[in-house]
Amino acid sequence: MGGYEQTYGRWQRDPEGFWRSASEAIDWDLRPETTIDHAHRPIAAWFPDGRLNTCFNAVDRHVRDGRGEQVALIYDSPVTDTVASYTYLDLRDHVSRLAGALAREGVGRGDRVVIYMPMIPEAVFTMLACARLGAVHSVVFGGFGSEELAARITDSGAKAVVCASCGIGPSGVLPYKPLVDRALELVEGEQPRCIVFQRPEGPAELRPGQDIEWSRLLEGAPAADCVPVAATDPLYILYTSGTTGVPKGIVRDTGGHAVALNWSMEAIYGARPGEIYWAASDIGWVVGHSYVVYGPLLHGCTTLLYEGKPVGTPDAGAFWRVIEQHGVNVMFTAPTAIRAIKREDPDGRRIAEHDLSSLRTLFLAGERCDPDTLQWASDRLGRPVIDHWWQTESGWSMAANCVGLELLPVKPGSPTKPVPGYEIEVLDDDGRPAAAGEQGSICVRLPLPPGFTPTLWNGEERFVETYLAPRPGYYSTADSGYYDEDGYLYVMGRTDDVINVAGHRLSTGQMEEILASHRDVAESAVIGVADAYRGQVPLGFAVLKSGVERDPEQVAAELVTLVRDRVGPVAALKTVAIVDALPKTRSGKVLRATIRQIADGRAWSVPPTIEDARVLDDFVELLPALGYAGGPAVPS
Ligand code: COA
Ligand code: AMP
């Protein structure tokens, strides 16, 4: 493939030729004549006249090419004490029958199917069955509650919802079906069909005449063939948190996605067909879409589906047990998972108990990776630990140490350099490239590479407004950071109201809206504060309406419950403080950044535009009392 500089240069000199050549590794029903189409600037379309099917590329072609007996999927579930394997042939049979059954229920090309399932093989079968039919799946993470689920079913206009009766966590059964029932009550518009996979650990009550049980669905179903679709047709929608309560439906196209992910498997991860690739992420997140399901399968690897946690299922040795048992070659997880392990096993004793000789590289992403965590893992594992940076929007890595091209020196704290396909610039407030060491907004020069979201579902205008309009000619990532003298990128944090809690992307803006909806609350603010374990956690403040005489602690508890009910348990908002006022500028903007700096124990200054400095003084006293550091003020 060539070294990093050589490959990056090859892409820069001839981006079209570069991606045309990468597209040859994909099986097309109609090979594209055009590589990129700029007719709808600023949004580019990749391989616009090509036709293909992603399921064919991820499953059937491997059977055709002699990989039928190779294991495609290993299911390892410590929470149910199960290990099962499916060959590519098994996978094709399961998926084609399920696709036939869904087609019989009227699901066809372009129809949306919402999937609300835990980490079980049936979830992967359903995603691939949708892809087989040209239907568009939208997986919703199980940690989201009914309202979030309902919003996604409504926005996508789903024809069917496929769910499992329950998830299973370290502490037992987590019922899913009651949440689905409640969500279906909230759905606006036509009711989708509801298909339920019953798990023996926690079967659900079905609604007579409305729900279809999985095994009934499959009874006598014919196998369905792959339906070729346009490369620009959507493969899936994945909703992610934006700055408001309205989630953004990230659309993934079909052709560009297949080309980019297949290329990334070898170039970024150094994974070869036939090898064992394990992303310990939930399929409800983009990492799960790209590197539990599509990437490894497109590339003919064996993928591992792990229904467990890094700790507690049963202990901090779980990851190392899985690597040894299945001979994992490449692993991918979130820094927070490593922090969870480190907290329970600081000396890495459990690591030493296992034979990890199969493991070449550990990749980390999903949140900023603190240098200590990276160093701890690489010292204990004795092999490269690679931080890489991406977003739901990109679908694959924007900056990485592409070990398949060349392992560059690792600098903890940096996801290394832009991946071929991405021209990344750090821009200052005037839109000029920032000097080395100078922090600014991280932007990607257009056109965006294959695989990157071309638009938002029902939201082309919002896409342009949010991502393309702020810096003409660029995609704004909403991350800030800097380059060092060696061209290494450092990604320091978000510039918007998005926070990252234990690798889960959440919107503080949405939580604020929920707090403000409580009948006793006049105004609210939610900020993300640094947390040694989860990276960040949300912290809420609420001002009560005048005349409300209720016990503040009682209201605070109601607010915590309200967010948990409305967003779901994943929200992890544990503390809301009732305060007399919020610190604001004279123009009425809440000083969230200043509160965050105080809470994180960083140097801060009193903004010159402050409306009433006494309110900020109250926060300086309050934050340490809540368990947050408080920090020294520096003169402004
Ligand atoms: N279905 C139902 N509920 C879920 C869920 C799911 N799939 N996932 C999480 N939840 C619930 C949990 O049960 C928990 O509920 P609780 O408050 O009642 O205990 C809550 O959501 C918060 O979960 P989480 O933030 O995951 O905390 P945790 O203590 O269970 O686990 C980690 C902590 C660090 C082990 C876990 O968050 C993790 O593995 N994070 C990595 C995330 C990731 O892979 N991100 C993708 C990028 S690679
Ligand atoms: P998500 O869309 O859930 O993948 O979250 C994307 C956001 O997570 C990015 O915009 C970053 O803020 C953060 N992020 C992901 N990976 C990294 C990383 N390697 N370094 C720093 N931040 C990261």
Side-chain angles (χ1 to χ4, degrees):
M1 272 192 154
Y4 168 75
E5 293 293 347
Q6 203 185 350
T7 311
Y8 194 83
R10 189 158 61 80
W11 164 74
Q12 261 186 328
R13 282 188 301 278
D14 179 16
E16 284 197 38
F18 184 91
W19 290 117
R20 196 166 45 247
S21 144
S23 76
E24 283 161 16
I26 291 299
D27 270 65
W28 299 84
D29 292 275
L30 188 64
R31 189 163 285 283
E33 297 272 323
T34 309
T35 306
I36 185 166
D37 176 9
H38 293 289
H40 300 287
R41 271 183 208 281
I43 299 174
W46 285 96
F47 313 110
D49 51 358
R51 294 183 78 77
L52 75 161
N53 181 281
T54 296
C55 181
F56 181 82
N57 276 280
V59 183
D60 300 53
R61 70 162 169 165
H62 301 310
V63 176
R64 180 199 65 192
D65 296 345
R67 291 192 181 276
E69 300 303 327
Q70 180 196 312
V71 174
L73 177 75
I74 299 169
Y75 169 53
D76 186 306
S77 168
V79 292
T80 57
D81 201 15
T82 310
V83 174
S85 324
Y86 301 82
T87 63
Y88 271 102
L89 205 53
D90 296 334
L91 191 58
R92 190 196 60 189
D93 291 347
H94 280 286
V95 171
S96 59
R97 247 187 95 212
L98 177 59
L102 289 171
R104 215 169 42 177
E105 288 301 316
V107 174
R109 183 174 166 200
D111 290 333
R112 275 80 59 207
V113 176
V114 163
I115 303 173
Y116 190 67
M117 294 176 112
M119 294 287 283
I120 54 177
E122 288 72 16
V124 178
F125 301 161
T126 311
M127 291 167 77
L128 291 167
C130 290
R132 195 172 189 86
L133 296 173
V136 181
H137 62 69
S138 186
V139 181
V140 179
F141 176 60
F144 284 119
S146 303
E147 291 196 20
E148 292 291 306
L149 179 57
R152 286 153 172 77
I153 297 171
T154 301
D155 189 70
S156 65
K159 193 162 202 173
V161 174
V162 183
C163 69
S165 55
C166 67
I168 300 169
S171 52
V173 167
L174 304 162
Y176 276 22
K177 184 63 180 17
L179 293 170
V180 176
D181 290 348
R182 170 89 188 107
L184 290 173
E185 282 166 22
L186 298 172
V187 164
E188 293 160 23
E190 212 173 305
Q191 276 290 306
R193 293 201 177 345
C194 181
I195 296 154
V196 187
F197 178 76
Q198 292 281 31
R199 301 191 76 182
E201 296 82 3
E205 221 171 277
L206 300 190
R207 298 170 308 162
Q210 295 187 65
D211 297 327
I212 308 166
E213 206 265 313
W214 180 274
S215 54
R216 287 261 331 277
L217 175 86
L218 286 171
E219 259 168 37
D225 275 341
C226 296
V227 176
V229 299
T232 50
D233 276 2
L235 172 70
Y236 69 76
I237 308 166
L238 180 57
Y239 286 89
T240 190
S241 300
T243 50
T244 68
V246 185
K248 292 191 282 200
I250 302 298
V251 173
R252 193 75 58 210
D253 69 355
T254 301
H257 173 253
V259 171
L261 285 198
N262 184 60
W263 182 83
S264 74
M265 286 300 295
E266 197 123 0
I268 298 179
Y269 300 101
R272 291 179 289 270
E275 291 197 316
I276 321 275
Y277 186 99
W278 177 26
S281 164
D282 194 281
I283 49 146
W285 304 116
V286 67
V287 176
H289 281 62
S290 295
Y291 293 110
V292 176
V293 183
Y294 290 111
L297 295 178
L298 283 164
H299 203 55
C301 294
T302 298
T303 190
L304 206 146
L305 186 72
Y306 174 69
E307 189 182 23
K309 298 262 177 183
V311 293
T313 58
D315 54 39
F319 277 11
W320 323 126
R321 188 272 299 163
V322 172
I323 293 172
E324 178 177 22
Q325 186 168 340
H326 304 295
V328 171
N329 303 115
V330 180
M331 186 184 177
F332 181 160
T333 190
T336 194
I338 300 297
R339 286 196 298 271
I341 293 170
K342 182 179 157 204
R343 195 163 76 160
E344 290 202 5
D345 181 21
D347 301 326
R349 293 221 170 91
R350 301 250 174 215
I351 297 177
E353 288 167 7
H354 293 276
D355 172 4
L356 304 184
S357 52
S358 63
L359 183 71
R360 280 199 303 273
T361 322
L362 171 65
F363 287 85
L364 301 176
E367 59 181 319
R368 176 170 162 73
C369 183
D370 54 289
D372 282 356
T373 299
L374 188 121
Q375 204 61 60
W376 183 88
S378 60
D379 289 350
R380 300 298 179 295
L381 290 168
R383 41 187 56 70
V385 178
I386 305 295
D387 177 17
H388 61 326
W389 167 66
W390 48 305
Q391 312 182 308
T392 306
E393 290 83 345
S394 67
W396 60 293
S397 194
M398 298 186 279
N401 197 333
C402 298
V403 305
L405 301 178
E406 171 188 6
L407 176 64
L408 297 175
V410 172
K411 293 196 190 189
S414 165
T416 316
K417 297 191 177 189
V419 169
Y422 290 89
E423 192 162 336
I424 297 174
E425 291 182 24
V426 174
L427 301 180
D428 66 18
D429 288 345
D430 300 323
R432 280 190 292 262
E438 193 188 318
Q439 194 148 322
S441 306
I442 309 180
C443 297
V444 182
R445 197 184 265 281
L446 301 180
L448 296 164
F452 210 107
T453 179
T455 190
L456 296 177
W457 186 257
N458 290 334
E460 183 128 340
E461 255 175 52
R462 189 177 178 196
F463 179 79
V464 173
E465 224 171 78
T466 311
Y467 300 109
L468 307 184
R471 310 269 185 174
Y474 295 90
Y475 164 90
S476 294
T477 63
D479 277 318
S480 65
Y482 63 92
Y483 274 116
D484 73 4
E485 299 285 350
D486 301 325
Y488 276 57
L489 184 68
Y490 289 73
V491 182
M492 305 309 289
R494 298 280 302 194
T495 55
D496 59 8
D497 296 337
V498 166
I499 57 170
N500 218 303
V501 182
H504 307 316
R505 176 166 159 179
L506 300 167
S507 164
T508 53
Q510 179 190 20
M511 292 186 218
E512 283 185 8
E513 286 172 19
I514 296 173
L515 297 188
S517 72
H518 188 284
R519 65 179 188 286
D520 295 335
V521 171
E523 56 179 343
S524 63
V526 177
I527 57 166
V529 291
D531 182 83
Y533 173 41
R534 288 171 191 270
Q536 276 183 306
V537 288
L539 172 63
F541 304 94
V543 179
L544 300 187
K545 286 180 182 156
S546 64
V548 173
E549 301 275 306
R550 299 186 54 213
D551 173 10
E553 277 189 22
Q554 176 63 33
V555 181
E558 285 171 15
L559 292 172
V560 167
T561 308
L562 193 64
V563 171
R564 190 180 164 95
D565 286 350
R566 299 262 295 267
V567 180
V570 70
L573 176 68
K574 304 272 189 238
T575 310
V576 177
I578 305 296
V579 293
D580 292 334
L582 296 171
K584 289 182 184 171
T585 61
R586 282 189 288 275
S587 61
K589 210 167 166 288
V590 177
L591 293 166
R592 293 182 185 79
T594 310
I595 307 174
R596 206 166 51 224
Q597 283 161 347
I598 301 171
D600 290 351
R602 284 183 281 146
W604 58 279
S605 57
V606 179
T609 53
I610 195 159
E611 185 189 30
D612 181 350
R614 283 168 306 179
V615 179
L616 200 55
D617 290 344
D618 292 345
F619 272 69
V620 173
E621 271 179 41
L622 171 71
L623 287 163
L626 293 174
Y628 297 97
V634 295
S636 47

